[in-house]
Amino acid sequence: MKSVAINGYGTIGKRVADAVSAQDDMKVVGVSKTKPDYEARMAVEKGYDLYIAIPEREKLFNQAGIEIAGTVDEMISNTDIVVDCTPGNIGPENLEKYKKIGVKAIYQGGEKHDLTGLSFNSFANYDDSYGKDYARVVSCNTTGLTRSLKPIDDLCGIKKIRAVMVRRGGDPYQVNKGPINAVVPNPPTVPSHHGPDLQTVMYGADITTVALLVPTTLMHQHNLMVELENDVPLDDVIETLEKRSRVLLLSAEEGLGSTAEFMEYAKELGRSRNDLFEIPIWRESLNIVDGELFYMQAVHQESDVVPENVDAIRSMLEIEENNEKSIAKTNKAMGIF
Ligand code: NAP
């Protein structure tokens, strides 16, 4: 049983902690916080050992009556791997600590690819992280792009990808990001960073992306135009995506015509936190015109990267050599389609 420390217990960290706990080949040794707020209290109530990132704040945790197990330095000295889920750009400072202690670490998409020089997606490049010390699970948007594009590339080859990314303004709890009432080109230059990020896991992909921020907290939404290398009937594309796990073909005709309805569908699944780990694609949007495939999909930004983190642990700790076996194991433990 391998041990995993979760450094940063926020939107991604708490989900990764629960996902790791659901596996039978790894366990959580601790989670970390800087503030003694409700998330810290609930982590302890859930049974996680809580470590603090800022030792000088021990008194604040004591005053709040939240039991701590020690400092982050102690937590990371006592584990096989750290999943770093701290806010973006804290990574470089933490990497120094991980290197000093000699512990492996997985970062999230808020950190730059250059930090580790190795990015991860379960379907695209699992093997490249096998046994490695440091890697970064690509962002929620890049994970979403990879999930649908990789099987299409495997089926018929991809010449060129163009994507318009409609991004949520903030996560549901982020009241500091609103209220807003605008559409914001983000960035107002072309390309956005998403295309180059995809190339860190789908090497050599010819992709250009543009991105917009909109006033929603529910999901991101992507509009893809994909020039195919080889002619293929639309039915073959549909069959390939239907077979692929962590991708769902859902239908507007059945009442799932928006991201709001996708989130309602997720609630009906009855999962913890109403998470939708899979990437839903609007079935009706799939079309091929003059050798170019069009489709629309959405991304539940809070949860889609979570199963990828579990697979990254298996790859880096050499628990499982075969990506499909790890994916199947993670999916089964988390109830993912
Ligand atoms: P978040 O909700 O703000 O959570 C960050 C967590 O890190 C909090 O628990 C915070 O604790 C803790 N923390 C802050 N400073 C720390 C430090 N120096 N040492 C240890 N812990 C520290 O952030 P998030 O949304 O989960 O994002 C984490 C990473 O995942 C980022 O790289 C982000 O870009 C990426 N990501 C986010 C999303 C998303 O939609 N949210 C999707 C995919 C990837 P306190 O609250 O106690 O300070």
Side-chain angles (χ1 to χ4, degrees):
M1 179 77 85
K2 297 289 186 181
S3 55
V4 182
I6 313 291
N7 197 11
Y9 189 76
T11 303
I12 302 299
K14 59 191 170 188
R15 288 173 166 84
V16 173
D18 289 355
V20 167
S21 301
Q23 313 301 315
D24 63 10
D25 49 4
M26 55 185 86
K27 63 171 187 206
V28 175
V29 292
V31 304
S32 78
K33 286 277 294 168
T34 73
K35 296 194 292 272
D37 60 8
Y38 77 97
E39 279 180 325
R41 188 179 303 284
M42 290 184 82
V44 175
E45 281 171 8
K46 279 189 132 185
Y48 293 124
D49 283 346
L50 182 69
Y51 293 83
I52 53 171
I54 304 173
E56 299 75 33
R57 293 200 183 160
E58 182 175 350
K59 210 170 138 196
L60 295 179
F61 282 81
N62 290 340
Q63 281 166 357
I66 298 172
E67 193 187 334
I68 58 167
T71 63
V72 161
D73 284 3
E74 287 164 347
M75 177 179 80
I76 63 180
S77 304
N78 187 26
T79 186
D80 294 309
I81 196 163
V82 183
V83 183
D84 189 304
C85 302
T86 60
N89 299 321
I90 294 181
E93 189 188 320
N94 283 350
L95 187 59
E96 292 310 311
K97 282 190 191 175
Y98 304 147
K99 282 189 170 163
K100 205 166 146 202
I101 285 170
V103 66
K104 294 185 181 225
I106 296 172
Y107 283 95
Q108 307 304 311
E111 302 296 344
K112 296 193 171 54
H113 170 76
D114 291 348
L115 180 67
T116 56
L118 179 63
S119 291
F120 177 90
N121 176 271
S122 307
F123 297 91
N125 67 343
Y126 181 98
D127 296 354
D128 294 347
S129 293
Y130 194 75
K132 294 283 165 38
D133 290 340
Y134 308 106
R136 157 189 172 266
V137 170
V138 287
S139 74
C140 49
N141 276 309
T142 309
T143 296
L145 289 173
T146 311
R147 289 261 186 86
S148 54
L149 286 167
K150 179 71 171 77
I152 295 166
D153 194 28
D154 290 345
L155 174 72
C156 55
I158 289 176
K159 234 190 274 177
K160 195 197 256 188
I161 306 154
R162 299 289 176 262
V164 179
M165 327 279 294
V166 182
R167 304 174 66 191
R168 58 91 176 98
D171 284 343
Y173 81 95
Q174 288 177 317
V175 287
N176 59 325
K177 298 223 171 164
I180 50 175
N181 182 21
V183 177
V184 185
N186 181 254
T189 50
V190 181
S192 69
H193 70 275
H194 303 93
D197 203 36
L198 183 84
Q199 291 163 338
T200 66
V201 287
M202 278 181 69
Y203 311 133
D206 179 345
I207 178 166
T208 305
T209 50
V210 298
L212 308 161
L213 269 186
V214 297
T216 179
T217 61
L218 296 178
M219 301 180 93
H220 299 296
Q221 193 272 342
H222 300 167
N223 305 282
L224 283 113
M225 291 140 269
V226 185
E227 279 183 42
L228 304 176
E229 193 81 53
N230 298 298
D231 280 345
V232 67
L234 182 61
D235 282 351
D236 287 10
V237 174
I238 292 173
E239 196 189 324
T240 299
L241 292 171
E242 272 173 341
K243 276 194 202 143
R244 169 55 79 198
S245 78
R246 300 187 193 169
V247 167
L248 285 175
L249 294 194
L250 298 179
S251 179
E253 258 187 21
E254 272 201 358
L256 296 168
S258 68
T259 53
E261 287 149 320
F262 281 165
M263 283 291 89
E264 203 55 30
Y265 174 86
K267 287 182 198 164
E268 289 305 305
L269 293 177
R271 291 175 180 158
S272 165
R273 302 186 181 95
N274 302 325
D275 283 338
L276 191 59
F277 304 109
E278 302 86 350
I279 301 301
I281 298 175
W282 279 279
R283 187 181 281 274
E284 302 77 345
S285 71
L286 283 155
N287 196 10
I288 295 176
V289 181
D290 289 338
E292 192 170 9
L293 172 71
F294 293 80
Y295 64 97
M296 297 171 184
Q297 66 179 25
V299 170
H300 185 222
Q301 73 278 357
E302 296 163 277
S303 68
D304 71 321
V305 298
V306 174
E308 257 69 7
N309 273 275
V310 174
D311 295 328
I313 294 168
R314 285 210 186 86
S315 176
M316 290 168 66
L317 291 181
E318 302 179 52
I319 300 173
E320 175 55 65
E321 220 169 328
N322 181 295
N323 73 324
E324 290 296 345
K325 283 189 183 161
S326 177
I327 289 165
K329 198 167 167 57
T330 307
N331 289 352
K332 192 167 175 216
M334 295 175 69
I336 293 175
F337 303 122

